[in-house]
Amino acid sequence: MAKAAIEAVGINKWFGVEPVRTHAVKDVSFVANFGEMLYVVGPSGSGKTTMLSMISGILRPTSGTVKVEDADIWSLSSDALAEFRLKHIGFVFQDYHLFPRLTTAENVAIPLILQHREWTAAVKDAERNLEIVGLKDRAQLAPVKLSGGEQQRVAIARAIASRPDILIFDEPTASLDGDTGRNIVHFVREQLLTDQRCIVIVTHDSRIYEFADRIIRMEDGRVTGVDRSQLDAQ
Amino acid sequence: MPGILQIAYKLLINDRAKFAALLVGITFAVFLMIEMTSLFAGILSRSSSTVINIGASVWVMDPAVQTVANTIPLPDYVLDEVRSIPGVKYAVPLYSGAALLKLRDGTYQAANVIGLDDTSLFGRPQMLAGNIEDIYAENAFIAIKDSEFYKLENPAVGTEFELNDHRGVIVGIARVASSALFGVPTLYTTYNRCLQYIPNTRFTMSYLLVEPKTAADVATIKARVAARGYLALTRDEFVQQISNFYMYHTGIGTNMMLMTLISFIVGLSISGQTFYTFILENIDKFGALKAIGAKGRELVSMILFQATFVALTGYGIGVGLCAALIWLARTHLPDYAAMITFGNLATAFVMVVIIAAVSSYFGVRRVLSIEPFDIFRG
């Protein structure tokens, strides 16, 4: 039986105060397992990014619990939670959020530097991660000199720099053309998904659904269904 | 350097336009603040030049005296009274006045004339040429080689001039610690020659110079002098009184203070605004760092480091520029009165620290308020 990486139980999120109050996520429960690539899909405003933020320790739910690797993350102090994210969760943001004033290798080294690794050693390690994503020759370039697909790969290299067990992708293909987007997700599935790692992807790009193990569908803040992907069918 | 600060450093200096704007703001402010306060320090120092150069421990004067230049002559009996105070080791008179000299080429030149006590020559200058004893020779004067020396046509030993229809002869060239404020040359001679050559009022002593037997005797001397209706001040008190006069009873102090304040405000405005814009431009990056796992205090340390680095670099450049300007000005303008003191440097440093603190305060507030969730929402 697969081990649970993330376990969300009855999480709710309200924004704002009365009378303008929005129930963004409504009583959502699900489990994401190690060795699994889980998609959260749904139309804009369905609450999937809010839900992603709550399960990754970024946004505190109004109610409910989130366990990541058996740890109730929302019972941790803010410093402990930051430390937890740094060690266990890697993020790939929709807009990448790379630092234009740092080199590509230095960008990738950021999680290691936050873990107090020595600068030169961290950048050397980062260059090895860039090799994994096929960008070793771009290590000394500024991110702005790279294409969109290459920037996405740099963001992935940064996310895996500290060897996290959980990878969170927010709309990874939103800024990429169809082929590049598929290649990226294919790469993520083939190269980064292991039995000791769980990957959660928020997307509404149906062209990449085929790479998912399971797909959670959300609408209006609720989970409306959980699908097995086409991988099972194959 | 910790890695997080290295990131902060690279973010700062690699954004060359912003970094240059920040440096220009701080440097400009520091330069102006130090230049203004140095000018004021120079003026204050020169305004007390006679007190500094003579070097007496205690000065007795009329209570209405505000600066060393505005002398109110004392009656002769005050000298005897002061000499009779227990605790006075010795007391001598000093003449300080102005005279109009007629130089060899027929032009007139105003000069300060200091008349030293004939017996002791207390307060004598350091001789560069000639002997101090020659001051007792007929018509003898010693010219002070300071920034105004050339106004006496660069005299040598033996140079003659006229003073109030009296013949004067330069018998020595000497130097003193500080030049005078008002741009006139200085001559030293004996007290009695001053009385003979320069028209005087009924009373003639400008000041009484007193040396107490011990430091503890100063209080007694001051009290006894005060009981006679006169004022006794230590050298530092007299310098302070002169400084207070220029600071609070002339427009100089207020104007300098206003200019310094304006420099501070200009520096604060340029640097504060540029630094805040710099933070805003990087706010999503700070949010991303927060999401990845940076702690609040680490982000605060980044901002404080950036503000401190800019402030100290700008401070150093500003001080350097100011020192260079003063040096350059002095090579061309001997009268240029500016003096960088530790007080000036400390004042400018405190103001720069305030600029850095205010600039970073708003940046820190903004960065701490950013939610990583906002990064996900774009």
Side-chain angles (χ1 to χ4, degrees):
Chain A
M1 187 179 163
K3 190 182 169 211
I6 303 169
E7 192 177 354
V9 180
I11 54 173
N12 284 276
K13 185 64 190 178
W14 290 83
F15 287 113
V17 288
E18 294 294 356
V20 187
R21 205 157 178 234
T22 310
H23 199 176
V25 173
K26 299 167 183 169
D27 200 27
V28 168
S29 299
F30 73 94
V31 173
N33 296 313
F34 282 111
E36 181 179 44
M37 196 166 190
L38 177 73
Y39 280 24
V40 180
V41 303
S44 286
S46 60
K48 53 189 190 299
T49 297
T50 304
M51 202 266 288
L52 186 77
S53 302
M54 290 191 289
I55 63 167
S56 57
I58 279 178
L59 183 68
R60 182 178 287 278
T62 310
S63 65
T65 58
V66 177
K67 284 189 177 174
V68 177
E69 295 182 42
D70 294 330
D72 181 355
I73 58 171
W74 288 108
S75 67
L76 300 173
S77 68
S78 76
D79 275 4
L81 185 54
E83 196 73 38
F84 187 89
R85 283 200 304 267
L86 188 56
K87 276 188 186 163
H88 297 280
I89 304 174
F91 293 94
V92 179
F93 307 107
Q94 182 177 338
D95 298 328
Y96 318 136
H97 291 299
L98 301 174
F99 288 76
R101 311 288 174 198
L102 302 181
T103 65
T104 298
E106 288 165 348
N107 265 284
V108 174
I110 283 174
L112 303 174
I113 289 162
L114 289 176
Q115 289 181 336
H116 309 296
R117 288 280 300 281
E118 195 268 325
W119 182 274
T120 313
V123 172
K124 272 244 173 318
D125 256 24
E127 285 172 1
R128 278 195 285 276
N129 280 318
L130 281 171
E131 197 170 1
I132 293 171
V133 298
L135 291 175
K136 194 180 180 211
D137 56 334
R138 304 283 201 272
Q140 299 310 317
L141 292 181
V144 288
K145 299 264 173 75
L146 306 180
S147 68
E150 287 174 329
Q151 289 186 35
Q152 179 72 286
R153 284 170 183 267
V154 174
I156 291 169
R158 181 175 68 184
I160 61 172
S162 57
R163 311 275 183 271
D165 320 310
I166 295 164
L167 288 179
I168 303 279
F169 288 73
D170 185 27
E171 303 283 6
T173 58
S175 312
L176 305 175
D177 63 72
D179 283 347
T180 309
R182 282 175 53 83
N183 288 340
I184 290 276
V185 179
H186 179 257
F187 166 82
V188 169
R189 172 147 198 114
E190 295 300 316
Q191 301 294 320
L192 306 182
L193 185 62
T194 65
D195 288 346
Q196 285 79 42
R197 184 173 275 160
C198 169
I199 298 175
V200 179
I201 296 178
V202 160
T203 184
H204 57 254
D205 183 357
S206 58
R207 294 171 300 182
I208 59 167
Y209 285 4
E210 64 185 279
F211 297 104
D213 290 310
R214 274 193 305 148
I215 298 175
I216 294 177
R217 296 187 184 279
M218 287 190 73
E219 203 165 330
D220 194 25
R222 295 180 195 282
V223 173
T224 55
V226 180
D227 303 337
R228 304 304 297 181
S229 77
Q230 294 166 12
L231 289 172
D232 289 337
Q234 289 162 13
Chain B
M1 190 193 303
I4 193 83
L5 299 187
Q6 218 157 332
I7 293 175
Y9 172 76
K10 285 184 175 249
L11 288 180
L12 179 68
I13 62 158
N14 288 346
D15 190 347
R16 290 182 187 175
K18 285 275 182 316
F19 184 53
L22 282 165
L23 271 188
V24 166
I26 298 265
T27 301
F28 183 62
V30 169
F31 174 77
L32 285 180
M33 286 189 286
I34 293 188
E35 179 63 20
M36 287 297 128
T37 51
S38 298
L39 279 174
F40 194 42
I43 290 171
L44 290 185
S45 169
R46 289 194 178 195
S47 67
S48 301
S49 60
T50 304
V51 182
I52 294 164
N53 295 338
I54 297 295
S57 301
V58 176
W59 292 64
V60 175
M61 66 199 81
D62 188 280
V65 168
Q66 290 180 304
T67 75
V68 73
N70 307 358
T71 58
I72 299 175
L74 304 167
D76 291 349
Y77 65 81
V78 180
L79 177 60
D80 299 327
E81 287 195 352
V82 169
R83 281 175 170 163
S84 69
I85 297 172
V88 170
K89 191 173 179 184
Y90 57 81
V92 296
L94 180 78
Y95 182 92
S96 172
L100 199 58
L101 312 183
K102 187 176 180 185
L103 304 179
R104 281 172 301 177
D105 64 358
T107 58
Y108 285 89
Q109 171 64 50
N112 286 327
V113 181
I114 303 292
L116 302 175
D117 172 49
D118 293 60
T119 312
S120 63
L121 296 183
F122 182 83
R124 71 189 72 171
Q126 187 184 353
M127 299 302 290
L128 298 173
N131 295 310
I132 189 68
E133 291 80 9
D134 293 338
I135 203 170
Y136 295 117
E138 198 177 353
N139 307 317
F141 287 82
I142 292 169
I144 298 302
K145 191 163 190 179
D146 58 10
S147 56
E148 318 303 335
F149 183 69
Y150 73 98
K151 292 177 182 173
L152 295 173
E153 297 177 338
N154 292 311
V157 172
T159 300
E160 296 184 357
F161 58 89
E162 280 181 35
L163 192 167
N164 200 27
D165 288 339
H166 292 276
R167 176 173 168 264
V169 180
I170 300 296
V171 296
I173 310 292
R175 71 174 172 203
V176 290
S178 176
S179 299
L181 175 63
F182 296 109
V184 292
T186 303
L187 295 173
Y188 276 59
T189 186
T190 60
Y191 178 81
N192 280 313
R193 183 166 297 119
C194 286
L195 301 190
Q196 292 163 20
Y197 283 30
I198 302 171
N200 281 300
T201 54
R202 179 178 162 215
F203 302 136
T204 52
M205 288 189 301
S206 306
Y207 298 97
L208 282 180
L209 310 179
V210 180
E211 185 62 29
K213 285 177 183 163
T214 66
D217 292 321
V218 172
T220 313
I221 295 167
K222 288 171 80 168
R224 290 285 296 272
V225 169
R228 293 292 176 187
Y230 294 95
L231 179 65
L233 295 176
T234 61
R235 180 175 45 221
D236 291 343
E237 287 170 343
F238 196 17
V239 168
Q240 188 60 51
Q241 175 171 298
I242 296 165
S243 297
N244 288 346
F245 173 78
Y246 283 98
M247 226 182 287
Y248 303 117
H249 299 287
T250 68
I252 301 173
T254 314
N255 288 335
M256 291 291 182
M257 201 176 68
L258 275 177
M259 284 300 293
T260 308
L261 193 64
I262 290 168
S263 311
F264 169 71
I265 291 169
V266 168
L268 181 62
S269 309
I270 296 176
S271 307
Q273 201 171 348
T274 311
F275 193 69
Y276 190 61
T277 310
F278 171 76
I279 296 294
L280 285 186
E281 280 181 7
N282 286 293
I283 198 71
D284 58 329
K285 306 299 181 296
F286 282 109
L289 280 178
K290 220 170 177 178
I292 291 169
K295 298 176 187 73
R297 64 172 175 277
E298 288 175 324
L299 300 181
V300 170
S301 72
M302 286 177 78
I303 292 171
L304 292 181
F305 173 80
Q306 288 170 333
T308 306
F309 182 80
V310 167
L312 293 183
T313 307
Y315 179 78
I317 297 173
V319 171
L321 277 179
C322 194
L325 178 81
I326 291 173
W327 172 80
L328 194 67
R330 279 192 179 161
T331 57
H332 291 83
L333 304 165
D335 292 343
Y336 190 69
M339 189 168 75
I340 297 178
T341 65
F342 286 116
N344 301 344
L345 294 175
T347 304
F349 185 77
V350 168
M351 288 182 161
V352 162
V353 168
I354 293 171
I355 289 173
V358 172
S359 304
S360 50
Y361 170 74
F362 292 105
V364 164
R365 272 184 51 153
R366 187 70 189 91
V367 164
L368 288 181
S369 69
I370 180 82
E371 288 293 339
F373 177 53
D374 297 333
I375 301 304
F376 273 126
R377 280 199 298 199

